[in-house]
Structure formats: structure tokens, C-alpha cells
Amino acid sequence: FIGVWMASRVPYPVEFRDLLSRFRVLHEPFESGMKGLGLEKDVLVMVDDPPALKKSQPFDLIMVDEAHHIYAHSQLRRVIEPYVIASRSAMLLSDISQTSNPGLTFTAGFEIVRLTEVVRNSNRIVAGSLPFR
């Protein structure tokens, strides 16, 4: 979960709360809308955004993780794509080998970057990557 990852990298509680106040998460079911992140008794929680904040587009950065799953389903794509198009910058993170749709297309205008080096180094991950080297 991205919030836990951020918490491990921001050393001061005040800075972390400020970072959380600017961060939004959209996850299934997408119809429930964007959620903010907050702290309740030092536990990371998702919170509903105030209605005025929901209208504050565009975002500086949109990151779509597992984009190959989202863009493979037209109803999910229709929910996420307006955010991607309106944002100042966006990244679609995808592993095309994990989709059953070989003709999958993403939002136009993105530069494709292929990562070819395995940087995780557990024995299992290294062993699994050997056939692709």
C-alpha cells in the first residue's frame, strides 16, 4: 500500500500529514470515487474528500498502477481516463505480460518505457527472471 511506503520515507509526522493531505487514491469499486489518506490514532486510513476538493482538477501527477487490468475493462477505463487526460502529467504502470488482451491500447500520447533489468533481489525473484535475461 502506497501510504505505508510513504510513511517509511518521511521522517517527521508533520511533513507526513502534509503529504497525506495532498494524496488521493482511487480503487475498486471506482464508483465510490477518490479517497484521501489520513491518520487516526497513528493508523493510516482512507477518508472521503470534502465535495469542494473533488472538483479541484487537474492533478499534478496521476499514477495508474496495474494499468493493463484497468484499461482492459471499458467501464474501469471510462472512470480513470478523465483523470489521466486532465492531469498535468501521468504514468501508466503496466506489465503487458499479465494481460490476456494482446491488442490492449492505452491513452494516446504516452511514451513507452520498457524496463529490462530486474532490480529486486530476493532469490525467488532472481530465479524467476533468469529465463528473460
Side-chain angles (χ1 to χ4, degrees), residues 50-84:
L53 194 55
K54 290 180 182 178
K55 297 177 183 171
S56 64
Q57 294 288 324
F59 288 98
D60 288 332
L61 173 64
I62 293 283
M63 292 182 71
V64 180
D65 195 14
E66 301 289 332
H68 51 278
H69 294 301
I70 294 168
Y71 277 76
H73 301 282
S74 60
Q75 67 274 21
L76 298 179
R77 183 182 187 132
R78 279 193 297 274
V79 173
I80 196 69
E81 201 148 65
Y83 294 107
V84 171

Side-chain angles (χ1 to χ4, degrees), residues 9-104:
R9 282 152 180 78
V10 179
Y12 303 107
V14 172
E15 291 174 4
F16 183 59
R17 285 181 191 276
D18 178 55
L19 180 63
L20 286 181
S21 73
R22 295 179 282 130
F23 199 85
R24 298 295 171 271
V25 176
L26 181 65
H27 62 88
E28 290 194 79
F30 285 5
E31 296 78 25
S32 64
M34 291 266 185
K35 301 288 183 187
L37 296 178
L39 288 175
E40 289 181 8
K41 298 181 182 176
D42 293 331
V43 174
L44 196 61
V45 295
M46 285 194 229
V47 296
D48 289 329
D49 278 339
L53 194 55
K54 290 180 182 178
K55 297 177 183 171
S56 64
Q57 294 288 324
F59 288 98
D60 288 332
L61 173 64
I62 293 283
M63 292 182 71
V64 180
D65 195 14
E66 301 289 332
H68 51 278
H69 294 301
I70 294 168
Y71 277 76
H73 301 282
S74 60
Q75 67 274 21
L76 298 179
R77 183 182 187 132
R78 279 193 297 274
V79 173
I80 196 69
E81 201 148 65
Y83 294 107
V84 171
I85 292 168
S87 68
R88 291 187 179 97
S89 59
M91 292 177 69
L92 305 179
L93 307 175
S94 179
D95 183 345
I96 246 12
S97 70
Q98 293 181 17
T99 184
S100 59
N101 183 350
L104 184 65

